[in-house]
Amino acid sequence: MSGDSCLQQLHTKAGSHPPPSLLACSQINAFSNRGAVGLGNKYVRLNVGGTLFYTTLQVLTKQDSMLKAMFSGKKEVFTDREGWILIDRSGTHFGTILSYLREGTVTLVKGKQAVLELLAEAKYYLIQGLVELCQNNLQDDKEQALCVIPVVTSVKEEERLIQACAKPVVKLVYNRSNNKYSYTSNSDDNLLKNIELFDRLSLSHNGRVLFIKDVIGDEICCWSFYGQGRKLAEVCCTSIVYATEKKQTKVEFPEARVYEETLNALLYETLPVPDNTLLEATRRHHAHCGSHSEEDEGPGPGAEVRERVRHIHVKRYSTYDDRPLGH
């Protein structure tokens, strides 16, 4: 029996008790304006998981779904003391479901998790069209990676990436197998710290700096910094030390120096090239951190100042015999 015919019989038999067969229909709280005729003018109040909705029977019965079965007398419905029809589901996406039933289409919420939640509700209410819409959206909507790090596999590929990039470039070479000797006790830990620092920097400066990983280089752990296609600085993190008359490779973690050179590279983020005063102000020498050697490089296209590549290596005295007099 349809909800419309059920309500009509209840109206004609005012003051009498409805038969048991009409009990399910009598529990539907429907309201109509005076003089209004037709299913579309009968309103229903819904309490979906504590969220209240007000809609028409026409919307609820417009498409084949569980809601149509509920409000066509095929399924039992329950009301609270105030007459709101109870539906024991989350009301978060029920407004979207009503919009789909009303219009036949809907703009889906943003985010994969939200679409998955809406898909679960659409399956529960047996709204096949909305189920397909959600599934198609999940297939087409591939999550964009927050940060993409290229891993170079050849020297030519590295040169092509650096020359073609208008942004500053930070490259980390790490290749543990390049070592001929055994590592010191802290070397593996420091190598991991360098890799973790690279990951943090790539997330912090994503979009402003191109970060490159090199796993085929000749170094064990070495940072390189580029601006507008030219190499600006290099921080080598390895040194050879003696322990019990045997050579060992030591990996350092010059965190402060790497941060400084990364910020220096950001000076080359936009044209024109930074002026000489600004460049000199950023070239601070830390005697306690390491020794610096500078090699002149030719200026790049359109550059008016002469650039230098700063090679920073950790100064490490291996034995007492290696220490200069007075140290």
Side-chain angles (χ1 to χ4, degrees), residues 263-290:
L263 295 177
N264 288 340
L266 286 173
L267 296 175
Y268 294 80
E269 186 176 9
T270 57
L271 290 172
V273 176
D275 59 40
N276 197 32
T277 303
L278 183 59
L279 291 173
E280 290 298 331
T282 62
R283 289 182 179 136
R284 297 175 298 164
H285 296 272
H286 299 279
H288 63 279
C289 291

Side-chain angles (χ1 to χ4, degrees), residues 34-165:
R34 290 187 177 182
V37 180
L39 187 62
N41 293 318
K42 295 181 174 62
Y43 292 90
V44 179
R45 299 187 300 175
L46 303 173
N47 183 341
V48 185
T51 306
L52 305 181
F53 297 89
Y54 196 61
T55 187
T56 65
L57 281 173
Q58 184 181 28
V59 171
L60 295 171
T61 59
K62 191 172 184 179
Q63 299 187 30
D64 290 332
S65 66
M66 179 185 292
L67 293 170
K68 182 176 181 179
M70 289 175 61
F71 294 96
S72 299
K74 297 178 181 179
K75 290 181 68 69
E76 186 178 11
V77 295
F78 299 93
T79 60
D80 60 14
R81 293 180 180 180
E82 297 181 358
W84 292 85
I85 296 176
L86 299 174
I87 298 180
D88 189 17
R89 296 290 293 183
S90 172
T92 303
H93 302 289
F94 195 75
T96 304
I97 289 173
L98 289 179
S99 297
Y100 181 82
L101 293 176
R102 186 180 299 111
E103 305 295 339
T105 186
V106 72
T107 301
L108 296 181
V109 290
K110 295 182 179 180
K112 183 178 180 180
Q113 182 60 35
V115 176
L116 287 172
E117 293 173 0
L118 179 59
L119 175 60
E121 296 301 304
K123 288 182 176 179
Y124 175 80
Y125 292 111
L126 302 177
I127 307 175
Q128 186 59 33
L130 185 56
V131 170
E132 294 175 358
L133 185 63
C134 292
Q135 290 176 340
N136 293 335
N137 179 271
L138 291 172
Q139 291 177 358
D140 298 338
D141 184 22
K142 296 181 179 179
E143 295 287 344
Q144 296 294 326
L146 178 63
C147 183
V148 178
I149 306 297
V151 179
V152 296
T153 57
S154 67
V155 176
K156 289 185 177 180
E157 182 183 10
E158 175 186 324
E159 293 176 350
R160 179 178 58 80
L161 282 172
I162 295 174
Q163 294 299 326
C165 183

